[in-house]
Amino acid sequence: LTLYCLLPIAAQPLSKADSLQIEIAQLENALTSIQTDLQEKTLQYNWEITEKYIEYCKKLYKITNFNREPRLIQLATTIKPEELEPQRLAYEKAKKELEALLTSYPEYITLDSLYKRAINTEQKKDRKVALDGFYQRIYNEDKAYRPLLEKKRKAFKEHYIACASYLLDECKRNQEVVPEIYDYKTARILKETDPKLHQLSIEISTLESLQRETIRKYQRLKYNLKED
């Protein structure tokens, strides 16, 4: 063999185009990793804050509505899963018992009818004041009213919590985000007072910033954009 065959072959330097493609591929891989981490953290945060919200609801004296969240309302009124029937039926029973007492008062029937037939906001507001005055009076005067009212409140709260827990479990099974069944103020309080939620929110914010910066770098290289 000749001498030159025994010498190592020098590596060919990469062209500028090849170097660019490698850098673009690295950024694409980085974006995929960031997106995966972000999705996992977002799901974790969402499930965690929903669990904390449900625990928070258990401590409340009363819950007045379903926060107009469509999926919760569907669970309560349309879908009616078998697992939630005991709580739903208990609430329906308590509601009917209270309504039976209220409708024994002719005054209530009149005031309630007027309130429901209000034709504008101002009229509805005035008639609600009259209806609330009636509620306050029988609360103080009719000994049967208060326990029935408390029974209805408790039953509604238990039904609401059962629906929220069912929705959370369903979303976990499907690996999807739970709709926001809490208001902004409650979410902020939960995040600020729970260390785990606070830490997760910081990690999500950091990943989102990293994602935006990586996308900017990727777009500049991919489309040969100039720096701002």
Side-chain angles (χ1 to χ4, degrees):
L1 295 174
T2 55
L3 181 61
Y4 72 83
C5 292
L6 300 176
L7 296 174
I9 300 173
Q12 293 294 319
L14 290 174
S15 67
K16 187 176 181 181
D18 288 340
S19 297
L20 181 62
Q21 289 306 311
I22 289 172
E23 193 170 354
I24 289 173
Q26 288 173 339
L27 287 171
E28 287 174 344
N29 290 336
L31 279 172
T32 300
S33 297
I34 293 168
Q35 181 63 25
T36 299
D37 289 347
L38 187 56
Q39 287 175 342
E40 289 177 359
K41 294 289 183 185
T42 301
L43 267 184
Q44 188 181 353
Y45 176 84
N46 174 262
W47 295 345
E48 188 73 23
I49 196 170
T50 304
E51 286 177 1
K52 297 297 181 185
Y53 172 69
I54 291 170
E55 291 302 314
Y56 164 79
C57 286
K58 291 177 181 178
K59 299 173 185 176
L60 293 176
Y61 168 60
K62 67 177 180 178
I63 299 171
T64 55
N65 58 57
F66 277 80
N67 291 338
R68 298 184 180 178
E69 166 46 47
R71 286 179 68 178
L72 272 186
I73 294 171
Q74 287 172 356
L75 284 173
T77 62
T78 308
I79 301 173
K80 300 177 185 176
E82 186 177 348
E83 299 93 320
L84 301 180
E85 279 298 273
Q87 292 88 350
R88 186 185 72 82
L89 292 174
Y91 170 65
E92 290 296 329
K93 182 174 181 290
K95 184 170 69 171
K96 286 178 181 177
E97 289 174 354
L98 180 61
E99 189 66 17
L101 174 67
L102 290 171
T103 52
S104 69
Y105 287 89
E107 182 185 355
Y108 168 77
I109 296 173
T110 301
L111 291 172
D112 185 57
S113 177
L114 287 170
Y115 175 71
K116 289 175 179 175
R117 288 188 285 113
I119 58 175
N120 55 53
T121 304
E122 192 63 32
Q123 197 176 73
K124 195 168 187 176
K125 182 179 177 182
D126 290 341
R127 293 178 181 182
K128 186 178 185 304
V129 170
L131 195 55
D132 288 344
F134 167 79
Y135 288 140
Q136 186 61 48
R137 193 176 78 251
I138 66 166
Y139 185 86
N140 295 325
E141 296 176 358
D142 191 331
K143 293 181 180 179
Y145 177 70
R146 194 176 302 186
L148 288 176
L149 180 63
E150 293 301 318
K151 183 178 179 181
K152 180 189 172 185
R153 284 175 176 171
K154 182 181 178 184
F156 182 87
K157 176 180 168 180
E158 290 176 352
H159 187 211
Y160 176 86
I161 290 170
C163 287
S165 298
Y166 184 95
L167 179 59
L168 173 60
D169 290 341
E170 186 177 61
C171 289
K172 282 185 174 182
R173 285 195 301 272
N174 297 332
Q175 291 290 297
E176 62 184 13
V177 169
V178 185
E180 291 187 359
I181 59 177
Y182 38 79
D183 57 38
Y184 174 79
K185 182 180 179 181
T186 303
R188 188 183 65 188
I189 292 170
L190 291 173
K191 184 174 74 172
E192 289 176 354
T193 56
D194 187 274
K196 186 174 181 180
L197 284 175
H198 183 66
Q199 180 60 33
L200 280 169
S201 69
I202 292 173
E203 292 175 9
I204 288 170
S205 180
T206 301
L207 283 168
E208 286 173 340
S209 296
L210 182 60
Q211 184 183 53
R212 287 192 296 270
E213 181 58 31
T214 306
I215 288 172
R216 282 195 291 269
K217 289 180 180 177
Y218 175 80
Q219 289 173 335
R220 284 199 296 266
L221 289 175
K222 179 82 171 177
Y223 303 109
N224 195 27
L225 302 175
K226 292 182 179 179
E227 294 277 356
D228 294 336

